[in-house]
Amino acid sequence: MQKATWLVLLGVVSVSVSGPMVKLALMAGATPVSVAFLRMGITALTLGVPAWRSGALGGMLRAPWKWKGLALLASLFLALHYTAWMTSLQKTGTFASVALVCAQPVFVAIFSALLLHEPIHRRAVPGAVTAMAGAVGIGLLSATGHGGDLLGDLLALSGAVTMAGHWLCGRAVRRHVPAMGYLVFVYACTALMLAAALPFMGGFSAPVASLPYIGVLIAVCTLAGHALFTYALGFVRADLISFALLGEPIGAAAWAWFLFDERVGWQMMLGGGLVLVGLAWYLLSLRRIPLQIEGVKS
C-alpha cells in the first residue's frame, strides 16, 4: 500500500504542474490553441506506435461509425476544453482556474441526469450543490473585484462543462473499443481540430522559449502523470484516485506561488475550498452507491 500511496502522490504532483506550465508557455508568447495542438499532436504520435503494434488502434478504426462518430464528438469537446481552460489561465488566477475546471464530475452528473436519464443520487446532491456554490462564489468575488477575472472564471467553468461532455461520450465508446486505440484516435482528431482552428485563432505561435514548458506539459503532466494513475489503478480503487486529484488545485496554487509569486486571497481560497469540499463530499457519497460498468474493453 505504501508503494501505491507514493505513486498516487507523485501523479498528483505531476498533473498539478499542468496549469503553471501552460501559463509559462503563454507568457513566453505561445497561444492557447497552439499549446493544446502540440500537446495533443505529440501525445498522439508518441502513443500511436504502441497502439498500432498492439492492434488497439486498428480495432478503433474498424469500429462501427456510430462509435467513431461519438469519438469524434469526444474529440471536439476535448478541443473546446483545452481552448477554454488554457485561455482562462491568461485572465484569471491559477488556483481559481484549476479549481473551477475540476468541477467537471458535477457536470457529468447533471448531463447524465438530463440526457441519459440517470438521476443524481440524493446522497450526492449536497456535495454537488456545495461545489456549485463555491464556483458561484468564485465568480462573484471576481465580479466584485476581490481577485480573479469573471471572464476567465467563466472560461474555466466552460472548460469543466466541455470536459464533462468529453467524458460522457468516452464512457459510451469505451464499452466497445480498446482503451489505447480510443485514446490515440481522440488525441489525433483533437489535434487536427485544433490545427483547423489555428487560422481563426491568430495562427500558430509557439516561440522557442515556450517549447521547454510545452515539453514538460506533455512529458510530465500528460504522459507521466496520466500513466502513473493508470498504473496505480492496479493497486488502488479509482475513487481514491479521484479523491487524490482534488489536491491538484492546491498543488497548482503552490507552483504558481513559487513560480509567479501568485498569491491567493482568503476570499478566493474560501470559494475554491468550497468547490473542493463539495467535490469530496460528492465523491464520498458515490462510494456508498453500488456502481457497475459492464463490457468495457481493455
Side-chain angles (χ1 to χ4, degrees):
M1 185 63 185
Q2 186 178 8
K3 176 183 178 181
T5 302
W6 281 109
L7 283 172
V8 172
L9 288 175
L10 185 58
V12 172
V13 171
S14 297
V15 297
S16 69
V17 181
S18 180
M21 287 301 107
V22 171
K23 182 163 282 192
L24 283 169
L26 298 179
M27 292 170 64
T31 61
V33 177
S34 300
V35 175
F37 164 68
L38 289 174
R39 181 177 187 176
M40 291 291 94
I42 295 174
T43 301
L45 290 173
T46 304
L47 298 178
V49 173
W52 180 259
R53 287 180 176 175
S54 67
L57 184 55
M60 177 67 217
L61 295 175
R62 290 190 298 270
W65 268 106
K66 175 182 179 181
W67 308 124
K68 282 187 284 196
L70 274 175
L72 286 171
L73 186 57
S75 304
L76 176 60
F77 278 128
L78 190 58
L80 292 172
H81 159 77
Y82 277 126
T83 302
W85 175 60
M86 290 185 180
T87 303
S88 79
L89 286 166
Q90 289 182 315
K91 300 180 178 299
T92 194
T94 306
F95 175 72
S97 176
V98 177
L100 288 171
V101 86
C102 279
Q104 57 194 262
V106 175
F107 289 105
V108 169
I110 293 172
F111 293 151
S112 295
L114 294 176
L115 302 176
L116 305 179
H117 307 292
E118 298 175 355
I120 304 176
H121 197 280
R122 63 179 183 277
R123 290 179 179 173
V125 169
V129 171
T130 302
M132 293 310 298
V136 171
I138 289 176
L140 290 175
L141 286 169
S142 297
T144 54
H146 287 83
D149 176 89
L150 183 57
L151 177 58
D153 295 342
L154 290 174
L155 284 168
L157 204 58
S158 66
V161 171
T162 48
M163 195 62 176
H166 167 75
W167 287 125
L168 284 175
C169 291
R171 190 182 71 174
V173 179
R174 275 288 293 114
R175 298 184 182 187
H176 305 277
V177 300
M180 183 67 79
Y182 169 77
L183 281 178
V184 172
F185 182 87
V186 168
Y187 287 172
C189 290
T190 300
L192 290 174
M193 291 175 183
L194 290 165
L198 281 171
F200 307 97
M201 304 290 288
F204 180 80
S205 178
V208 174
S210 70
L211 296 182
Y213 308 124
I214 297 174
V216 173
L217 183 66
I218 295 168
V220 176
C221 309
T222 304
L223 293 173
H226 294 173
L228 280 171
F229 286 129
T230 301
Y231 181 65
L233 282 171
F235 303 93
V236 297
R237 298 194 308 271
D239 58 344
L240 294 181
I241 290 179
S242 296
F243 274 110
L245 278 171
L246 296 180
E248 181 182 354
I250 306 300
W255 281 111
W257 174 74
F258 175 73
L259 294 170
F260 318 119
D261 196 27
E262 185 179 300
R263 302 179 186 275
V264 182
W266 70 266
Q267 300 100 327
M268 191 63 70
M269 186 66 77
L270 179 60
L274 270 179
V275 174
L276 300 182
V277 168
L279 288 173
W281 192 353
Y282 172 80
L283 293 169
L284 182 62
S285 301
L286 292 184
R287 291 181 64 190
R288 302 169 184 169
I289 303 169
L291 297 175
Q292 185 175 4
I293 299 177
E294 297 179 351
V296 178
K297 289 194 174 185
S298 60

